[in-house]
Amino acid sequence: MFMKKKLEYPVNIKQTNPKLAKIIISQYGGPDGELGASLRYLSQRFTMPLPELKGTLTDIGTEELGHLEMIGAIVYQLTKNLTVEEIKEQGFEDYFVDHTTGVYPQSASGFPFTTASIAVKGDAITDIHEDMAAEQKARTTYDNILRFCDDYDVKDAIRFLREREVVHYQRFGENLRLLTDKLDSKNFYAFNPEFDTKCFKNQMKKKI
C-alpha cells in the first residue's frame, strides 16, 4: 500500500521568492545548519559514556535530518517554476548558473558545506557544550532569517524550526547535568581521568 510521506511540520508555500531562498539555504548547508547538526550528533553518540546521552544524540540527530528535509522543501518551493525575469529581478543568477533550482548544501554567502564547521571531540563534556552552543547558533540564524522574511507560510515553518532549537538546547542542558551528577572526579574526563597533583606541583616548582 502506498503511504504518503509527511514532513515533521507542513511546508506549503504559495509564492516563489528566490532571494529569500538564498538566505534560508544557510540552514541547509551553512556553518550552523541542519546537515552539520545531524552529522555532529550522530557522530558524537558513539563515545558517550551513558546510554541516556547516546539516546538523546541519536534522537536529536535523527530529528535534524527531518529538519534538513523541511529546509530543502522550503528552498524548493520558493524557487519552483521560476521565470527568467524572476531570476534576474531577484538576483538568483549566480546560484542558478551553478545549480539551476537544485537544492545544494551551502551557506547564504555561497560557501559549500564543509564538516570543518562542526566538532566531534570524543570527550563527553566538550561535545555536549559544543552541542548547546550549536543549538544557540542555529536559533540565532533562524532569528536572522525571520528578520528578512515577510511571507507567512515561510515564517510559520521557520518559527517551528527555531522552537525546536530551543528545545534541543534544553535537552542537552539536562544531559550535561546528568553527566556531571553521575561521573565522579576519576572519570569526569574521557582520556584524562584525574590530574596527577603531585606531578603538577613538581613541574610548578621547577618553573619557579
Side-chain angles (χ1 to χ4, degrees):
M1 186 177 75
F2 175 77
M3 294 182 65
K4 185 176 180 181
K5 189 179 186 314
K6 294 183 179 180
L7 297 172
E8 183 180 351
Y9 190 86
V11 175
N12 298 301
I13 298 168
K14 305 174 188 68
Q15 183 66 43
T16 58
N17 189 335
K19 187 175 181 180
L20 183 57
K22 285 181 66 177
I23 295 172
I24 292 175
I25 204 165
S26 210
Q27 278 303 90
Y28 193 81
D32 306 308
E34 305 293 356
L35 178 56
S38 63
L39 290 175
R40 179 192 296 110
Y41 305 149
L42 293 176
S43 297
Q44 288 178 354
R45 64 188 174 137
F46 294 105
T47 53
M48 284 292 156
L50 301 174
E52 297 94 331
L53 275 60
K54 292 179 188 290
T56 298
L57 286 165
T58 301
D59 290 346
I60 294 180
T62 302
E63 185 181 356
E64 301 290 19
L65 289 173
H67 294 173
L68 180 72
E69 187 178 20
M70 282 184 62
I71 293 292
I74 292 171
V75 171
Y76 171 72
Q77 292 180 27
L78 284 172
T79 59
K80 189 177 180 181
N81 300 324
L82 290 175
T83 66
V84 174
E85 288 73 22
E86 288 173 326
I87 292 170
K88 289 179 178 178
E89 287 173 4
Q90 300 207 36
F92 198 65
E93 306 99 312
D94 51 352
Y95 184 95
F96 188 87
V97 165
D98 289 334
H99 311 294
T100 316
T101 55
V103 181
Y104 178 74
Q106 68 173 47
S107 67
S109 61
F111 194 81
F113 173 75
T114 171
T115 53
S117 63
I118 68 175
V120 179
K121 207 67 176 174
D123 181 278
I125 300 292
T126 304
D127 281 344
I128 293 179
H129 276 288
E130 161 74 16
D131 301 340
M132 293 177 69
E135 293 297 329
Q136 286 300 318
K137 287 187 284 185
R139 190 267 309 159
T140 301
T141 302
Y142 281 127
D143 284 344
N144 291 339
I145 288 171
L146 288 168
R147 288 186 172 95
F148 296 99
C149 181
D150 56 5
D151 185 320
Y152 173 81
D153 294 328
V154 179
K155 289 173 74 171
D156 185 48
I158 294 297
R159 282 173 175 156
F160 169 81
L161 291 166
R162 180 195 181 279
E163 180 181 308
R164 295 308 298 165
E165 305 297 348
V166 175
V167 172
H168 293 170
Y169 175 79
Q170 293 170 338
R171 296 293 85 79
F172 285 131
E174 292 166 0
N175 274 218
L176 183 61
R177 287 192 293 274
L178 177 67
L179 181 67
T180 53
D181 286 345
K182 285 198 171 186
L183 298 185
D184 59 34
S185 62
K186 292 185 178 180
N187 59 13
F188 197 77
Y189 297 102
F191 299 108
N192 187 18
E194 190 173 33
F195 289 109
D196 188 335
T197 308
K198 185 177 180 181
C199 179
F200 178 73
K201 287 181 178 178
N202 289 337
Q203 288 178 344
M204 291 302 293
K205 286 178 180 178
K206 289 179 181 178
K207 288 182 179 180
I208 294 172

